[in-house]
Amino acid sequence: QVQLVESGGGLVQAGGSLRLSCAASGRTFSSLAMGWFRQAPGKEREFVAAISWSGGTTYYTDPVKGRFTISRDNAKNTVYLQMNSLKPEDTAVYYCAAGNQYRPSTVYTSSFSYAYWGQGTQVTVSS
């Protein structure tokens, strides 16, 4: 079992920045592939960013490329999502997810690849 706890959400004006954190426990963190997803009101959950176990491979959905950065600190069992130049359309509940790293350097964009989920943290961007 893996427990995930997100933090760092909040209310920010358009153009501002936030850094989300996700602390993991219960299993060797460095063996896990990690991802961030988000769900806006009335919409389905969507992929945002993913990172391989080593941190050597990352991937982003097009709308956040160049603005968001995913990273991880395996010594602290934590994955981060740095969000810059935020837009109102980034408003959503952001979820951290963890899954098995089946192949080195592989990242996963499907929610079905992740077995463990955090409770979510609200990000609201005002215009």
Side-chain angles (χ1 to χ4, degrees):
Q1 282 285 2
V2 177
Q3 293 77 43
L4 303 172
V5 179
E6 301 102 332
S7 61
L11 174 64
V12 64
Q13 289 188 332
S17 297
L18 284 173
R19 188 176 82 154
L20 305 183
S21 299
C22 173
S25 62
R27 185 174 148 182
T28 304
F29 182 70
S30 59
S31 70
L32 297 169
M34 301 297 296
W36 286 96
F37 290 74
R38 65 186 180 186
Q39 187 168 18
K43 295 187 177 181
E44 294 186 352
R45 189 174 299 187
E46 64 174 359
F47 167 79
V48 176
I51 189 167
S52 62
W53 69 273
S54 68
T57 304
T58 59
Y59 188 79
Y60 303 89
T61 188
D62 284 345
V64 310
K65 283 181 181 177
R67 300 189 297 122
F68 290 12
T69 302
I70 188 171
S71 62
R72 65 191 294 163
D73 186 337
N74 286 345
K76 296 183 178 179
N77 292 349
T78 302
V79 63
Y80 305 97
L81 186 67
Q82 178 67 45
M83 305 185 295
N84 299 329
S85 302
L86 282 161
K87 304 175 181 180
E89 51 263 44
D90 294 319
T91 295
V93 177
Y94 283 72
Y95 297 91
C96 172
N100 292 322
Q101 183 78 56
Y102 292 107
R103 298 181 185 179
S105 302
T106 299
V107 293
Y108 305 97
T109 61
S110 169
S111 61
F112 293 106
S113 297
Y114 296 92
Y116 307 102
W117 294 83
Q119 81 288 351
T121 185
Q122 177 70 46
V123 172
T124 303
V125 184
S126 63
S127 57

